[in-house]
Amino acid sequence: MAELFSSGRLVDLILLLVVFQTAALSLYWRRTGRGIAPVDLLPNVIAGACLLLTLRFALGGSGWMVCSASLAAAGLAHLVDLRRRWK
C-alpha cells in the first residue's frame, strides 16, 4: 500500500475515476437535460485534475517548474469557474 501512495499510482487511479465521472455526468446531462451542464462542470473538474497532476508530478520527482505550471493551471481554471458562477 505504501508503494501505491509513494509511486503516485493512486493519483493515476483517482484521475482515471475523475475522467469516467465527468464523462458519465456529461452523458447523463445530454440524455436527460438534468444535472450540471458540461460547460459549467469542466472548469471545476479541470482545476481539481490540475491539483492532482501537481501531486503526481511532485511524487514523481518532477522539478519545481512543472509543479508550478500545474498549480498555475489549477488557479486559472478555478478563476474561470468563479467567474462563471459570480452573480
Side-chain angles (χ1 to χ4, degrees), residues 6-79:
S6 64
S7 70
R9 294 290 178 212
L10 184 62
V11 177
D12 295 340
L13 293 173
I14 294 169
L15 281 167
L16 188 61
L17 286 172
V18 168
V19 168
F20 283 128
Q21 177 186 23
T22 303
L25 288 171
S26 296
L27 183 62
Y28 178 76
W29 182 83
R30 286 175 201 215
R31 288 191 176 173
T32 66
R34 297 172 49 198
I36 303 171
V39 71
D40 295 325
L41 178 65
L42 282 178
N44 189 286
V45 170
I46 291 169
C50 285
L51 289 174
L52 285 168
L53 283 173
T54 302
L55 175 61
R56 179 67 172 98
F57 292 146
L59 290 173
S62 296
W64 66 269
M65 290 182 72
V66 174
C67 293
S68 296
S70 183
L71 282 175
L76 182 61
H78 179 65
L79 288 175

